[in-house]
Amino acid sequence: MKVFRTFALGATLTLLASGAYAADAVLPEAAAPVAPAAPAYTWSGPYAGGFVGYNFAHFDQSGGASFNGEGVVGGVYAGYSLQTERFVYGLEGDIGASDVDAGGFNVATGVPISADSTAFGSLRARVGIDYDPILLFATGGVAVSNKELTLRGANDDQTHVGYTVGAGVEAKVANGVTSRVEYRYSNFENKTYDLGNVSVSSGFDEHSIRAGLALKF
């Protein structure tokens, strides 16, 4: 009987100790759910958009004379990009219309001469570095531009070929939508204009600041 009481007392003490331990035990809290990381923007693929800008042009004439002009430009652009890690590269083309007007005096006659820009375009390579969701890029390639010169009521137009280089920044503004700001410098070959009984050789260069908005497909 004494052995039984000793066993019962030991069992009771063991149960009490187990209950106290269980009461003092702290259950681990469930880990807070982790929100999935936003996917990085991918620049690969085709895109197309429109732009507006402002050009500053400098025209030269045979004989050393020159004159300046400025005006609004606008048009569309499209391209295709590939991306390798942070390096983005591809081809882009644009076409647009210009309201750049310039004027001065013709060297041979001393009478006013004016130059008007009409249409232009380019085909360029584009390379950039991705800083998600921003792209810093540089661009360069071949450019064409149509100009019309007017002297004493006579006019002639020519298409000039040249080069264009520039740089800019582009950013994602929504899914599949990007905006950009860029600077471009373009330089065009001389062309000879037949203006009545006067021939004028003229080339020009342009500085352009543009803003664009595009859809990525």
Side-chain angles (χ1 to χ4, degrees):
M1 182 62 70
K2 184 178 180 180
V3 173
F4 177 77
R5 286 198 301 267
T6 302
F7 178 79
L9 179 60
T12 301
L13 292 174
T14 300
L15 289 174
L16 290 173
S18 298
Y21 176 80
D24 293 338
V26 179
L27 296 176
E29 295 182 1
V34 179
Y41 186 75
T42 301
W43 296 94
S44 296
Y47 59 90
F51 69 89
V52 294
Y54 204 81
N55 279 19
F56 301 88
H58 175 79
F59 293 82
D60 61 75
Q61 299 179 59
S62 54
S66 63
F67 51 96
N68 300 320
E70 59 186 72
V72 176
V73 297
V76 296
Y77 61 94
Y80 193 96
S81 294
L82 297 172
Q83 183 169 356
T84 302
E85 296 181 350
R86 292 175 57 191
F87 184 56
V88 180
Y89 52 98
L91 286 175
E92 182 176 291
D94 62 59
I95 186 170
S98 172
D99 191 35
V100 174
D101 296 320
F105 289 90
N106 176 247
V107 177
T109 63
V111 299
I113 185 173
S114 64
D116 298 314
S117 302
T118 55
F120 60 88
S122 71
L123 180 62
R124 296 164 284 104
R126 196 170 77 126
V127 296
I129 299 295
D130 172 36
Y131 293 94
D132 185 38
I134 293 174
L135 177 70
L136 302 180
F137 67 87
T139 185
V142 63
V144 295
S145 182
N146 185 265
K147 303 291 181 183
E148 182 179 65
L149 262 60
T150 303
L151 176 69
R152 288 189 301 196
N155 58 68
D156 188 17
D157 70 279
Q158 297 288 340
T159 298
H160 298 249
V161 178
Y163 67 87
T164 183
V165 293
V169 57
E170 190 165 3
K172 172 191 173 184
V173 295
N175 287 332
V177 181
T178 64
S179 64
R180 67 166 63 174
V181 176
E182 68 175 327
Y183 162 79
R184 294 263 295 278
Y185 171 77
S186 304
N187 190 288
F188 296 91
E189 64 181 345
N190 283 9
K191 284 284 190 175
T192 299
Y193 291 79
D194 294 322
L195 303 171
N197 59 352
V198 177
S199 292
V200 173
S201 178
S202 180
F204 65 99
D205 59 6
E206 290 183 328
H207 299 268
S208 181
I209 299 173
R210 304 177 182 183
L213 189 69
L215 296 176
K216 181 176 174 295
F217 304 106

